[in-house]
Amino acid sequence: MRMDMLIKDINIFNSYFKRFMKGNAAIKDGTFYYIGAGELDAFAADRILDGKGKYLVPGLIDIHLHIESTMVTPATFSYGLIKNGVTTIVPEPHEMANVFGISGVKEMIKASKECVADMFYAIPSSVPATSMETTGGSIEISDMDELMQTEDIICLGEIMNYYEVISDPECKTNKILSHIRSHYPDLIIEGHVPKLLDLDLQKIIHAGVNSDHTHQTVEGLEARIAAGMFIEIQEKSMTEEVMDYLKENQVDERFCFVTDDVMTDSFQKRGHLNVLLKKAIQMGMSPEKAIYACTYTPAQRMRMHDRGAVAPGKVADFLLISDLQSFDIEQVYKNGELVFDSSQPYVQEASGRQFPEHFYESVKLAELSETDFNLSAPDEQGQAECRIIHVQNGSTFTSETNDWLSVENGELRWEESPYGLIATFERYGKNGNRAHGLITGDVLKRGAVATTYSHDNHNLLVIGHNKQDMVMAANEVITNQGGVCCVHDGQVLSMIHLPVGGILSEEPMDIVSEQVEQLTEALKSLGYEHYNVIMSLSTLSLPVSPALKITDHGLINVNEGKIVPLILSVQA
């Protein structure tokens, strides 16, 4: 019998026993045909590989991520995935959807068709994430129906507006959930439910949301699993306590590892899902259990029954490694074909424009001036008590603090205060909305930064300590049709051009990685103290991430789901 490939003398991971078994493998037409310890005399093959006792592991599967968070195109993202052993992903393009609506989703899917890594898309469920922001596009129920009919959709992406789900039966998100459950009862529904416990948590599950990928504690993890939720563990949830719980309890079928958002420099230097797998092993999880959580359980969660295991009929996506503890990847095979070899050059192919022309013209905002960063006060003179966003290293959550600022000639004298100004400007040409706030904590201490890469609405977000630098940073981004610009004392320290929708670069991975690294260093040089400064910056406008954020509608009290004023009180 003719096979495309035979692999001899290899330790094969068996997902059903969760252990390695020494044997041989035969591959035909891109799938595994035979796995076992028997002789391969019955087969003839075009290629024979001597495994030399190495380990054969299924291709890694990441079921929750956003390509746009890496600021690159699907083709560049796939290039990065493959060398890190990730052969299948479930991306949710809600960033492109926030900029372009359904066309953003369709163009991302189209751009993924020829990628080496398999990309099975999730429908963005929360575009916009709330009613308290302006976006370039939206995803309505009719759009979801169209995507279900015209595209290969695997799930409904994360339900983000958890507050409305549990508090407003008539909200848009509950209407979406009702529609999906009645019209597509088998469609998987993903969730985003930070900190919810007890009745509120179970309200979310009752509404149809049965997974969570947000920051976990042992208390929250146990409550979710007890209620039937599937848990997707990000690196930030890999605390000693959480990992001990996962190691010591029989919950292997109830969790997997996911990346969610990976910065380009981390992707280039550290890796992707394999980073979490290695970290789990370093934290004492057995290699077999860690591999299971990066292959079999994510495949089962998404009902991808043709992969996630090495067995007859399964897609022949696999990795070869020599040492389980280091988990250094030597080769990657996709559909039985070698696509990465660590001993050979691995070069990204150049590509031209990959999106329609109007995707490069999405910033419809006039250049700004210093007056755009004035803060008006209700009285001419005196003091005003203000809300202030407090940023803390270690989390993208913020808190609220209050303080008094001087008022002169009807304006808050914020430049003379210890606080920075944060401002956001609607950039789609829809309503001209703008909002201002104050910011402190482990954030910029001098200079300014401006960005159109600001979750999830991707309006222009500007933070700074003087108007001149803020104007320069903002206008650099506006005139370049999107990006991130850092300025100090009238000098541009760093600039990332993001011409596709103001959020993606078409440069190769190594170039974008270098730009992201330079931006990170520039922000840190201006006093930003955070384990992920770009993610911290970009989520300051995310009104579903606690506790005080800002959109073009104003300051948002996330926990209460409402707009709140900057000024609390004034005194003469």
Side-chain angles (χ1 to χ4, degrees):
M1 186 177 297
R2 196 76 188 172
M3 294 288 119
D4 297 322
M5 184 179 185
L6 298 179
I7 307 174
K8 298 182 177 182
D9 185 26
I10 193 84
N11 290 296
I12 301 169
F13 183 71
N14 186 292
S15 301
Y16 311 109
F17 288 124
K18 281 185 242 181
R19 69 172 185 258
F20 283 92
M21 303 174 71
K22 195 171 186 63
N24 307 304
I27 296 168
K28 183 178 177 62
D29 298 329
T31 62
F32 290 108
Y33 189 89
Y34 169 80
I35 306 293
E39 295 297 325
L40 297 177
D41 296 340
F43 303 117
D46 297 331
R47 290 166 288 147
I48 297 176
L49 176 65
D50 184 353
K52 298 179 180 179
K54 295 178 182 179
Y55 298 92
L56 189 154
V57 175
L60 308 185
I61 299 173
D62 192 338
I63 61 170
H64 182 84
L65 60 80
H66 310 283
I67 293 173
E68 305 98 311
S69 293
T70 310
M71 304 184 192
V72 297
T73 63
T76 299
F77 200 82
S78 174
Y79 163 83
L81 290 173
I82 293 300
K83 67 178 180 180
N84 290 295
V86 184
T87 54
T88 299
I89 62 171
V90 178
E92 187 205 319
H94 71 226
E95 314 299 353
M96 285 292 272
N98 271 280
V99 180
F100 295 114
I102 189 174
S103 67
V105 178
K106 290 194 166 192
E107 290 298 331
M108 285 292 283
I109 294 173
K110 182 179 177 182
S112 304
K113 295 293 186 185
E114 303 303 318
C115 292
V116 176
D118 287 333
M119 301 184 181
F120 299 100
Y121 273 79
I123 296 178
S125 66
S126 305
V127 180
T130 72
S131 59
M132 299 175 289
E133 58 194 311
T134 304
T135 58
S138 65
I139 299 293
E140 306 299 330
I141 289 174
S142 59
D143 298 317
M144 295 181 180
D145 287 336
E146 182 177 340
L147 289 168
M148 288 296 295
Q149 293 159 13
T150 61
E151 308 292 344
D152 186 13
I153 298 297
I154 202 166
C155 68
L156 182 67
E158 59 181 302
I159 298 293
M160 297 183 69
N161 198 355
Y162 59 91
Y163 181 83
E164 279 192 0
V165 172
I166 63 179
S167 63
D168 182 4
E170 299 304 314
C171 72
K172 176 183 174 181
T173 307
N174 275 322
K175 290 177 181 177
I176 288 171
L177 285 168
S178 177
H179 181 81
I180 293 296
R181 294 179 75 183
S182 61
H183 289 77
Y184 313 103
D186 295 328
L187 191 67
I188 297 157
I189 301 174
E190 292 283 274
H192 170 113
V193 289
K195 296 188 176 183
L196 292 189
L197 292 170
D198 199 42
L199 178 58
D200 286 343
L201 175 64
Q202 300 200 22
K203 283 180 180 179
I204 283 282
I205 298 170
H206 187 268
V209 180
N210 62 2
S211 79
D212 183 32
H213 68 274
T214 58
H215 197 169
Q216 299 296 330
T217 63
V218 170
E219 179 188 20
L221 183 69
E222 190 162 51
R224 282 155 176 72
I225 292 175
M229 264 192 162
F230 186 84
I231 311 300
E232 296 162 5
I233 301 290
Q234 295 187 51
E235 186 173 8
K236 65 185 178 183
S237 290
M238 294 176 72
T239 62
E240 185 176 346
E241 295 80 10
V242 167
M243 292 302 292
D244 285 346
Y245 183 91
L246 296 176
K247 287 184 291 182
E248 295 165 5
N249 292 275
Q250 297 299 315
V251 293
D252 291 3
E253 312 307 319
R254 303 309 307 160
F255 82 94
C256 71
F257 292 111
V258 300
T259 58
D260 197 5
D261 305 296
V262 180
M263 288 292 103
T264 326
D265 55 342
S266 177
F267 202 162
Q268 179 78 352
K269 291 189 172 182
R270 298 178 70 216
H272 198 258
L273 186 61
N274 56 322
V275 173
L276 279 69
L277 194 160
K278 290 181 181 183
K279 185 170 184 175
I281 295 171
Q282 291 164 2
M283 296 182 74
M285 183 175 282
S286 71
E288 291 82 0
K289 187 164 183 157
I291 291 167
Y292 192 77
C294 292
T295 56
Y296 189 75
T297 48
Q300 292 299 300
R301 165 65 184 169
M302 288 295 158
R303 302 190 190 120
M304 295 187 286
H305 300 304
D306 65 340
R307 65 196 67 211
V310 180
K314 304 296 184 185
V315 174
D317 295 351
F318 60 95
L319 328 176
L320 295 183
I321 61 175
S322 292
D323 181 73
L324 291 177
Q325 292 299 316
S326 67
F327 209 82
D328 292 331
I329 297 166
E330 296 181 12
Q331 291 183 331
V332 179
Y333 288 79
K334 186 77 186 71
N335 299 318
E337 299 292 332
L338 180 65
V339 290
F340 171 76
D341 188 327
S342 62
S343 67
Q344 301 296 321
Y346 184 65
V347 180
Q348 183 178 356
E349 296 181 4
S351 59
R353 287 196 168 191
Q354 301 163 53
F355 293 89
E357 281 303 312
H358 71 278
F359 275 47
Y360 304 89
E361 301 171 353
S362 66
V363 179
K364 305 182 190 314
L365 181 63
E367 290 191 20
L368 303 180
S369 66
E370 290 185 20
T371 58
D372 293 306
F373 298 101
N374 291 342
L375 278 182
S376 298
D379 289 350
E380 283 296 306
Q381 303 290 131
Q383 288 190 313
E385 185 184 16
C386 300
R387 298 178 198 273
I388 302 161
I389 298 171
H390 188 273
V391 176
Q392 185 169 346
N393 192 356
S395 176
T396 54
F397 294 169
T398 64
S399 58
E400 177 183 324
T401 186
N402 302 329
D403 200 1
W404 293 88
L405 271 72
S406 297
V407 176
E408 291 183 17
N409 301 319
E411 288 186 17
L412 283 172
R413 306 295 291 181
W414 66 266
E415 287 179 286
E416 300 164 11
S417 79
Y419 307 109
L421 177 69
I422 181 168
T424 184
F425 301 84
E426 185 272 316
R427 58 101 162 179
Y428 300 104
K430 289 189 170 183
N431 53 37
N433 280 356
R434 55 185 59 193
H436 299 78
L438 297 167
I439 194 162
T440 191
D442 298 328
V443 71
L444 216 65
K445 307 294 191 303
R446 51 196 169 274
V449 62
T451 180
T452 48
Y453 175 78
S454 55
H455 297 298
D456 276 340
N457 48 71
H458 299 294
N459 285 310
L460 178 67
L461 182 71
V462 190
I463 301 174
H465 285 266
N466 68 82
K467 296 175 184 177
Q468 296 80 13
D469 283 351
M470 294 179 80
V471 169
M472 176 175 281
N475 289 340
E476 281 291 320
V477 171
I478 291 168
T479 56
N480 283 284
Q481 279 297 310
V484 191
C485 182
C486 189
V487 171
H488 185 229
D489 287 342
Q491 297 293 320
V492 174
L493 301 185
S494 178
M495 174 75 189
I496 301 177
H497 296 273
L498 301 173
V500 183
I503 59 175
L504 297 185
S505 170
E506 291 183 315
E507 296 287 352
M509 177 79 80
D510 58 347
I511 291 177
V512 182
S513 171
E514 185 177 344
Q515 292 175 342
V516 168
E517 190 171 0
Q518 289 173 353
L519 175 65
T520 299
E521 290 306 312
L523 289 170
K524 287 182 175 179
S525 75
L526 298 180
Y528 214 128
E529 303 169 26
H530 203 275
Y531 75 96
N532 189 336
V533 293
I534 297 177
M535 186 56 63
S536 172
L537 168 67
S538 65
T539 53
L540 292 171
S541 59
L542 182 59
V544 293
S545 175
L548 185 64
K549 298 294 174 74
I550 190 169
T551 74
D552 64 301
H553 286 213
L555 290 172
I556 310 296
N557 182 319
V558 176
N559 295 330
E560 296 181 9
K562 66 180 184 181
I563 301 167
V564 293
L566 168 64
I567 296 176
L568 293 163
S569 61
V570 293
Q571 63 182 26

